[in-house]
Amino acid sequence: MNQIKNAIGRSLPEYVEGYGKVKPFAGAFATEPDMTRQAPKVKRILPGEQKLVEDLETVFKRIPVTNGMTLSFHHHLRNGDGVVNMVLEVAAKLGIKDLTLAMSSVFPVHAPIIEHVKSGVVTRLDTNYMSGPVAQAVSRGLFPHPVVLRTHGGRGRAIECGQLKIDVAFIAAPTADDYGDLNGVQGQAACGSLGYAFPDAQYADNVVAITDNLVPYPLSPISIPQTRVDYVVKVDCIGDPKGIVSGTTKITRDPVGLRIAETTAKVIKAADLIKDGFSFQTGAGGASLAAAYYVRQMMEESGVTGSFALGGITGYMVEMLEKGLFRNLIDVQGFDLDAVRSLANNPNHLECGADFYASPFNMGAAVNKLDAVVLGATEIDTNFNVNVVTGSDGVIMGGSGGHSDAAAGAKITIVVANLLRGRLPIIMDKVLTATTPGETVDVLVTERGVAVNPRRTDLQEQFKAAGLPLKSAEELKQLAEQIAGVPESIKTLDKVVAIVEYRDGTVIDVVRQVG
Amino acid sequence: MNQIKNAIGRSLPEYVEGYGKVKPFAGAFATEPDMTRQAPKVKRILPGEQKLVEDLETVFKRIPVTNGMTLSFHHHLRNGDGVVNMVLEVAAKLGIKDLTLAMSSVFPVHAPIIEHVKSGVVTRLDTNYMSGPVAQAVSRGLFPHPVVLRTHGGRGRAIECGQLKIDVAFIAAPTADDYGDLNGVQGQAACGSLGYAFPDAQYADNVVAITDNLVPYPLSPISIPQTRVDYVVKVDCIGDPKGIVSGTTKITRDPVGLRIAETTAKVIKAADLIKDGFSFQTGAGGASLAAAYYVRQMMEESGVTGSFALGGITGYMVEMLEKGLFRNLIDVQGFDLDAVRSLANNPNHLECGADFYASPFNMGAAVNKLDAVVLGATEIDTNFNVNVVTGSDGVIMGGSGGHSDAAAGAKITIVVANLLRGRLPIIMDKVLTATTPGETVDVLVTERGVAVNPRRTDLQEQFKAAGLPLKSAEELKQLAEQIAGVPESIKTLDKVVAIVEYRDGTVIDVVRQVG
C-alpha cells in the first residue's frame, strides 16, 4: 500500500480497507468545509399518535433496524451506562449483523461489545474515547474494520456535515415525557448535560429515547426536544448512578502534581490572562483541578471575575461559579452530583451541545473563546505533538475527547505532565500516536521546567520576564532520559486498527495492532 | 388560465405567474412530507476572528446582499419594530433590487415597505399575518408578484423543508454578545420569546443579529446560539418598547363577549377536558382572555392542575402559571411585560421555536398535544371553514398566524364570534377567503347558540347532555340574516394578489385584488 506523509510528518496509508481514502491532516486550520449540512428525511406525526412503545424489540421492528445500520449512543452515563448493552442484546437476539456503533465514548462497562463483534453483530466502531476491555481488544485487532477515533467537536462536525450518518440514535434519557422531550438533570440516573447527544438527536434518521423516569407532558427543562424524537421506551433502569457520577472530585495531594499545577497558574498569569473576562477549561482529574485551585487563588487575589469555564464540569467549577469567580459555566458533560444540581438550578450554568462546545465547522464553537486550557498527555514530542490515544505499551487507553478541540481554540494551550510516566520519559522525539498537533500546543509544564513552543515567541518573552523556569523541549527530554534512559520504541504490527481523525476530518495518524 | 378545485371546493388557478404551480389543498392531513431537510452550506470561523461589524452597510457588502435575494425577519417587536425599515433603507441606498421579504408578520409600522415596492427594491412578500397600510396596499395590487400567506407552523415547515430558502436572516436581538448568542428577555427592547426566528437562524445561509444591547460573552440565557450567527451589528435602537409590549391585557367588559366566553368554558367542560393535565391555547384579545377567565374558574372549582398553556403568552397566562393552574407555559411569542418577566425568571416558562410550536412536518409540534384552543374568525361558513385573512370589504387585514396550526392539533377547536360583525352576519354559505379548513374546526360559539361540526357526533352527544344551547350552523346563519339581511357578495377583480398556503404548503385559497 502506498504511503503518504501528512503535515506533521506521520506516515499514512493512502487508502485503508474498511475506511476508504485517507485525507491527510494538512494543518490545524488548513482544511475548509466544502459541504452542505446533513439533511435527514422530513417526517411527521399526526395529532393523537403515540410515541411510547412497550419495549426495545418493538422499536427495532417498527423502524426497522436492519443489517449494516449505524446506531449511535452518548456517554453521559459513563461507566454506569446500561443502554448500549441493552440495545445490543436486542440486536443480537433479533439476529442483526454488521452494525456500526457510533459512541461518543466507550467505557469498561461496555465489555459485552467484544462478544458482539465476535458474533458479527457489530463490525465497526466510531468513538472519541475508549478505555477498558474494548480498547484493549481493539488494539489486538478485534474489529474486522478499523475503528474511527474522533474528537468531541469532530464527532459533532461529522454528524452535522454528513460524514457520520446515523440510522438510529439511542438516547439514554434520565428523564423523558411521552412525546420525547428529554433532560439529564432529573431522575435516578441524572447525569447533568446531555450535550454529546445533541447532534445525534438533530441529524439521525431515527431517534429513540430510553428512559427510566417518565414524567407527564411537558417536561421542563427540555434539553432535547420532542420534534426530533420518534420513539420513547420506558425501562426499569438505564444505568447505575455509582458509575454515572462521582462524589466530589478531590484536588491531588501529590507534591509533584501540586508543583506542576502551581507553575501552570503562573504561566497563565504571566501570559496576562488573569483579568476580568478570563475564560478557562481544565480536566476533571486531581492534577487538573489543582491547576484550577491555583488559578482561583490568583483570581481572588486580583479581584478578577472570569467570563466562563468550559467543558466537562466538576463541583470545583460549580463552586467557582457560585462564588462569583466565573459568570457562567458552559457544560457539555457533568462529572459529579454538584454539576448536575447546578445545571438543574442555576440559570448561569448553561448546557451546550458537542457542536456548540467544539465543532470546527460552524459559526463559532465555545472553544474559540477560551483564554486558557490545561490538558494532559500520555506522550509529547519535541515538536509538541501530543498523544492521548495509546499508552507506553502501544495499547489504546483513551482518545482525544475534547483535547484537540480545546487546544485549537484556546489563546494558550498548556499541557501538564510529570517528566516520567511510570518509569518512562513522557517527552520523546516522536510520539507513538499523534492526537493533537504541536502547532496548537503552546506550553509544556513539567516539574523540572516549562517549555514553550518556539512558534510562540510572545510567550517566551512574557515567561522570561516573569522568571518562569524555561527550558526547551529537547532539554526536558534529555533530563528525562538522564533519569530513565532512552526508552525502546514500541513494536507494532502492520495492521491498522484505528484511524485517528483530527477535528476537521483529516487523518492525523493511525494506530497499528500490538503483538 | 385553467382552474382546479381543492378539497374544500375552492376554485384555484392551476398556475399563478410569480408563484408557480398550485398544489391544491387535499385535506388537513392528506399531504405527507416527501423531502429532506434544508441543508445550508457549512461554514466556519477561526479562533480570534470577530463577528462584530460596524454597521449594516458593511454587513451588506461582506455577505454580499445582491439583487433577488430573500431577506427574513421575525415579528416579536411587533408594531415597535425598527429593524425591517432600517435594513430596507440600507438595501435602497445600495441600489439593491428585487428582494423577497420573508417576514413572520407585517405591522402598520412597516408602511415604508410600500415605497420600496414602488421603487423595485422589494418585489415579493412572504408572511403569516399582516395588518395596516402594507396589507391594504397588497389587496390593491401593490406587488408585482403574489404575496404568499403562510401559518406560523407552515413558515417553520417551509424553512426547515427548503421551500422558503432564506439568503439572509436579520434577527432583531434585544440582547446579544459579540459572538452572536442572542436572547429576547433582556435589554430596553425586551420582547420575550424569539421563537419565530428560530427556524431562520437554523436554516438561513447567512444570519445577522442586530442589537441595541451588547453584553459581555457569554450571554445567558441563550435563545439563539452563536453557532448559527455570522455577524453582529450594534445600533442605537432596534425598536420602540411602547409598540413591542402592551401593558396588562384586560378581559373584555362587553356583556355579549362575556356570554360567549362563559359558553366557551362550558363547551370545554362538557367535552370532559377540565381535568388534571388539561392543556389550552387562547388568543390575547379581550374576548379570548374572557374565555380563559371562565376556564380558570372551572379549574379552580374542580381543583384541576393543567399541564400547559401554549402560544402567544399574556400576563393572564403567567398568573395562571404562578398560581399553579398550569405546570408550564410554552411560549413562542410574549404579548406583555409579564410574559417577558416570567420567561426570564421562571424555569417552568419554556421558550419554543415556530417549528416546536406548530410545524406539521416534524416529529411532533406542541399544538398536537393541545386539548382545547379558542380562536377567532372574521367569517365562518356552514362547513366551518374560517376566514381570518380578509375583512368584509375583501381587503387583507390579518392572516392565519397560528390559527390553522392550533385548529389542526387540538382535541377540540372552538371558534368564538359574535353573530354579527359590524352590521354583517359572520356566518355565511361560503367565506370569501378560506384560511382554516372546516374539518379542523369542531365548535362555533356565538351569543345565540353553539353549533357543532357534524363530523363530531361525540361532541353533539356530550353537549346535549350538558344542556348547551345547540343549533346548527345553518340555523345560526338564518338568525344572523334575520337581523342583518343577506349580505351582498364582495366583488373582486381577477388578479391574484395573495396565495393562502395551508400549513402543509398546499394552497387552500387565493386572495384577489379589490377594486
Side-chain angles (χ1 to χ4, degrees):
Chain A
M1 178 57 64
N2 288 333
Q3 299 283 312
I4 45 175
K5 282 210 169 174
N6 70 13
I8 55 165
R10 313 301 293 199
S11 233
L12 310 170
E14 271 190 338
Y15 182 93
V16 180
E17 198 60 46
Y19 173 79
K21 196 169 176 317
V22 166
K23 189 172 177 186
F25 173 73
F29 304 103
T31 300
E32 292 183 46
D34 59 355
M35 71 293 280
T36 56
R37 246 182 261 163
Q38 170 68 3
K41 200 167 169 335
V42 171
K43 298 194 281 193
R44 70 157 181 186
I45 181 169
L46 297 179
E49 282 187 284
Q50 304 297 315
K51 295 187 184 182
L52 259 184
V53 177
E54 62 199 37
D55 57 30
L56 270 174
E57 202 171 316
T58 310
V59 169
F60 265 65
K61 289 172 181 166
R62 285 239 198 120
I63 289 177
V65 178
T66 54
N67 293 353
M69 278 189 166
T70 296
L71 314 187
S72 88
F73 303 87
H74 69 92
H75 74 275
H76 296 90
L77 303 190
R78 282 179 290 273
N79 205 37
D81 175 53
V83 164
V84 169
N85 295 340
M86 193 188 295
V87 169
L88 291 182
E89 250 179 55
V90 174
K93 185 182 166 198
L94 295 177
I96 296 166
K97 299 287 178 189
D98 199 22
L99 294 173
T100 295
L101 302 186
M103 298 169 64
S104 53
S105 295
V106 179
F107 287 88
V109 72
H110 298 126
I113 287 174
I114 295 172
E115 287 309 312
H116 293 302
V117 177
K118 288 181 180 165
S119 64
V121 175
V122 172
T123 52
R124 292 171 197 263
L125 174 63
D126 190 303
T127 191
N128 312 339
Y129 179 94
M130 53 179 152
S131 62
V134 174
Q136 290 154 18
V138 167
S139 278
R140 283 187 220 101
L142 171 70
F143 276 82
H145 306 294
V147 166
V148 180
L149 288 172
R150 303 184 192 268
T151 72
H152 285 329
R155 182 177 190 271
R157 180 218 88 242
I159 294 171
E160 179 157 297
C161 299
Q163 293 106 345
L164 174 52
K165 202 179 155 305
I166 299 168
D167 294 297
V168 191
F170 290 92
I171 301 182
T175 297
D177 65 35
D178 70 348
Y179 218 44
D181 297 298
L182 317 178
N183 78 40
V185 294
Q186 299 157 358
Q188 66 188 31
C191 58
S193 176
L194 293 180
Y196 291 126
F198 285 14
D200 308 49
Q202 184 65 14
Y203 294 106
D205 280 343
N206 301 278
V207 179
V208 181
I210 303 177
T211 191
D212 53 14
N213 188 36
L214 195 65
V215 300
Y217 183 89
L219 172 64
S220 78
I222 296 171
S223 294
I224 289 176
Q226 62 190 45
T227 49
R228 299 291 179 230
V229 177
D230 303 284
Y231 302 99
V232 179
V233 183
K234 167 83 165 65
V235 298
D236 290 336
C237 175
I238 61 168
D240 176 3
K242 284 196 294 292
I244 297 171
V245 287
S246 58
T248 305
T249 314
K250 289 267 189 290
I251 290 166
T252 186
R253 292 176 144 199
D254 166 45
V256 175
L258 286 173
R259 195 202 296 175
I260 292 172
E262 192 173 7
T263 306
T264 301
K266 286 181 183 165
V267 159
I268 295 171
K269 182 169 180 149
D272 197 25
L273 293 169
I274 304 286
K275 51 191 180 189
D276 282 339
F278 175 61
S279 57
F280 187 49
Q281 177 172 341
T282 189
S288 302
L289 281 185
Y293 170 81
Y294 288 107
V295 165
R296 175 178 172 170
Q297 308 284 86
M298 287 176 180
M299 292 173 75
E300 285 174 339
E301 278 163 23
S302 321
V304 158
T305 302
S307 53
F308 69 98
L310 178 65
I313 297 295
T314 58
Y316 197 76
M317 290 296 151
V318 169
E319 197 182 313
M320 288 183 78
L321 174 72
E322 291 172 352
K323 299 274 187 199
L325 289 155
F326 287 110
R327 280 189 284 106
N328 292 96
L329 301 182
I330 303 181
D331 183 350
V332 69
Q333 178 181 199
F335 281 111
D336 54 30
L337 289 170
D338 282 334
V340 176
R341 172 188 54 77
S342 172
L343 181 62
N345 299 317
N346 192 331
N348 294 319
H349 187 152
L350 303 170
E351 184 176 17
C352 80
D355 53 329
F356 186 108
Y357 167 45
S359 171
F361 287 177
N362 62 30
M363 275 314 293
V367 291
N368 290 357
K369 297 290 267 185
L370 270 179
D371 284 335
V373 63
V374 177
L375 298 168
T378 60
E379 298 175 346
I380 182 166
D381 67 27
T382 48
N383 291 315
F384 290 81
N385 298 307
V386 175
N387 174 15
V388 286
V389 168
T390 47
S392 53
D393 53 359
V395 175
I396 296 172
M397 43 68 73
S400 178
H403 197 284
S404 308
D405 300 309
K411 286 204 189 80
I412 186 168
T413 298
I414 304 165
V415 167
V416 294
N418 288 23
L419 217 51
L420 304 184
R421 185 183 175 89
R423 293 187 175 177
L424 294 171
I426 202 166
I427 315 178
M428 53 199 62
D429 289 327
K430 195 178 170 216
V431 292
L432 177 67
T433 312
T435 314
T436 295
E439 67 171 295
T440 64
V441 175
D442 301 306
V443 185
L444 167 63
V445 177
T446 72
E447 73 278 25
R448 297 292 292 272
V450 174
V452 178
N453 190 322
R455 300 164 54 98
R456 296 299 300 268
T457 50
D458 56 330
L459 293 177
Q460 291 271 14
E461 296 300 317
Q462 288 176 307
F463 293 179
K464 198 187 278 180
L468 285 166
L470 293 180
K471 291 208 164 54
S472 71
E474 286 77 9
E475 287 171 324
L476 290 175
K477 181 179 85 102
Q478 282 161 15
L479 273 176
E481 289 177 353
Q482 279 163 18
I483 304 165
V486 180
E488 278 181 53
S489 62
I490 297 155
K491 289 199 176 48
T492 57
L493 308 179
D494 275 350
K495 181 180 169 182
V496 171
V497 295
I499 308 284
V500 186
E501 279 198 3
Y502 189 60
R503 59 202 297 256
D504 61 9
T506 60
V507 176
I508 191 160
D509 214 340
V510 294
V511 180
R512 294 177 191 273
Q513 187 170 343
V514 291
Chain B
M1 181 56 63
N2 287 334
Q3 299 283 313
I4 44 175
K5 283 209 168 174
N6 70 15
I8 55 164
R10 314 300 294 198
S11 233
L12 310 170
E14 272 189 338
Y15 182 93
V16 180
E17 198 58 46
Y19 172 79
K21 196 167 178 316
V22 167
K23 189 171 176 183
F25 172 76
F29 304 102
T31 301
E32 291 182 47
D34 60 355
M35 72 293 281
T36 55
R37 247 182 260 163
Q38 170 67 4
K41 197 166 169 341
V42 171
K43 296 194 285 194
R44 71 155 179 186
I45 183 170
L46 297 179
E49 282 189 284
Q50 304 299 314
K51 295 186 182 181
L52 258 184
V53 176
E54 61 198 40
D55 57 30
L56 270 173
E57 204 172 314
T58 310
V59 168
F60 266 66
K61 289 171 181 167
R62 285 237 199 124
I63 288 175
V65 178
T66 56
N67 294 351
M69 278 190 167
T70 296
L71 313 187
S72 88
F73 302 87
H74 70 91
H75 74 275
H76 298 89
L77 304 190
R78 283 177 291 274
N79 205 37
D81 174 53
V83 164
V84 169
N85 295 340
M86 193 188 297
V87 169
L88 292 181
E89 251 178 56
V90 174
K93 184 181 167 198
L94 295 178
I96 296 166
K97 300 287 177 189
D98 199 22
L99 294 172
T100 295
L101 301 185
M103 298 169 62
S104 54
S105 294
V106 179
F107 287 89
V109 73
H110 298 125
I113 288 173
I114 295 172
E115 288 308 312
H116 292 303
V117 177
K118 288 180 181 165
S119 65
V121 174
V122 171
T123 53
R124 292 171 196 265
L125 174 64
D126 190 302
T127 190
N128 312 340
Y129 180 93
M130 54 179 153
S131 62
V134 174
Q136 290 154 18
V138 167
S139 278
R140 285 187 219 102
L142 172 70
F143 277 81
H145 307 295
V147 167
V148 179
L149 288 172
R150 305 186 191 266
T151 73
H152 285 329
R155 183 179 189 271
R157 179 218 87 244
I159 294 171
E160 178 156 297
C161 298
Q163 293 106 346
L164 174 51
K165 201 180 155 303
I166 299 169
D167 294 297
V168 191
F170 290 92
I171 301 183
T175 297
D177 64 35
D178 70 348
Y179 220 44
D181 295 299
L182 316 178
N183 79 41
V185 295
Q186 298 156 358
Q188 65 188 29
C191 58
S193 176
L194 293 180
Y196 292 126
F198 285 14
D200 308 50
Q202 185 66 13
Y203 295 105
D205 280 341
N206 301 278
V207 179
V208 181
I210 303 177
T211 191
D212 53 14
N213 188 37
L214 196 65
V215 300
Y217 183 89
L219 173 65
S220 78
I222 296 170
S223 295
I224 289 176
Q226 61 190 45
T227 50
R228 298 295 179 227
V229 176
D230 303 284
Y231 301 99
V232 179
V233 183
K234 167 81 166 64
V235 297
D236 289 338
C237 175
I238 62 167
D240 176 4
K242 286 197 292 293
I244 297 171
V245 286
S246 58
T248 305
T249 314
K250 291 267 190 288
I251 290 165
T252 186
R253 292 176 142 198
D254 165 46
V256 175
L258 286 173
R259 195 203 294 174
I260 292 172
E262 191 173 8
T263 307
T264 301
K266 285 180 182 164
V267 159
I268 295 170
K269 183 169 181 149
D272 197 23
L273 294 170
I274 305 286
K275 51 191 179 191
D276 283 338
F278 174 59
S279 57
F280 188 48
Q281 176 172 339
T282 187
S288 300
L289 281 185
Y293 169 82
Y294 288 106
V295 165
R296 175 177 172 169
Q297 309 283 83
M298 287 175 179
M299 291 174 76
E300 285 175 338
E301 277 163 24
S302 320
V304 158
T305 301
S307 54
F308 70 98
L310 178 65
I313 297 296
T314 59
Y316 197 77
M317 289 298 151
V318 169
E319 196 182 314
M320 290 182 77
L321 174 72
E322 291 171 352
K323 298 273 187 201
L325 289 155
F326 288 110
R327 279 189 284 106
N328 291 96
L329 300 182
I330 302 181
D331 183 349
V332 69
Q333 176 180 201
F335 281 111
D336 53 30
L337 289 171
D338 283 335
V340 176
R341 172 187 55 76
S342 171
L343 181 61
N345 299 316
N346 192 329
N348 294 318
H349 186 152
L350 304 170
E351 184 176 16
C352 80
D355 53 328
F356 186 108
Y357 168 45
S359 171
F361 287 176
N362 62 30
M363 276 314 293
V367 292
N368 289 359
K369 296 290 266 186
L370 270 178
D371 284 336
V373 63
V374 178
L375 298 168
T378 60
E379 298 176 346
I380 183 167
D381 68 27
T382 47
N383 290 316
F384 290 82
N385 299 306
V386 175
N387 173 15
V388 286
V389 168
T390 48
S392 52
D393 52 1
V395 175
I396 296 171
M397 41 67 74
S400 178
H403 197 283
S404 307
D405 299 311
K411 286 205 188 80
I412 184 169
T413 298
I414 304 164
V415 168
V416 294
N418 288 22
L419 218 50
L420 304 184
R421 184 182 175 90
R423 292 183 172 179
L424 296 170
I426 202 165
I427 316 179
M428 54 199 60
D429 289 327
K430 194 178 170 218
V431 290
L432 177 66
T433 312
T435 314
T436 296
E439 69 172 292
T440 63
V441 175
D442 301 307
V443 185
L444 168 63
V445 177
T446 73
E447 72 278 24
R448 297 295 293 273
V450 174
V452 178
N453 190 322
R455 300 163 53 98
R456 295 298 301 268
T457 49
D458 55 332
L459 294 177
Q460 291 271 11
E461 295 302 316
Q462 287 176 307
F463 294 177
K464 199 188 271 178
L468 285 166
L470 293 178
K471 292 208 163 55
S472 71
E474 287 77 8
E475 287 170 325
L476 289 175
K477 180 179 85 106
Q478 282 161 14
L479 274 175
E481 289 176 353
Q482 280 163 19
I483 303 165
V486 180
E488 279 181 50
S489 63
I490 296 156
K491 288 195 176 51
T492 56
L493 308 180
D494 275 350
K495 181 181 168 183
V496 171
V497 296
I499 309 284
V500 186
E501 279 198 3
Y502 190 61
R503 59 201 298 257
D504 61 9
T506 60
V507 177
I508 190 161
D509 212 341
V510 295
V511 181
R512 293 177 193 272
Q513 188 170 343
V514 292

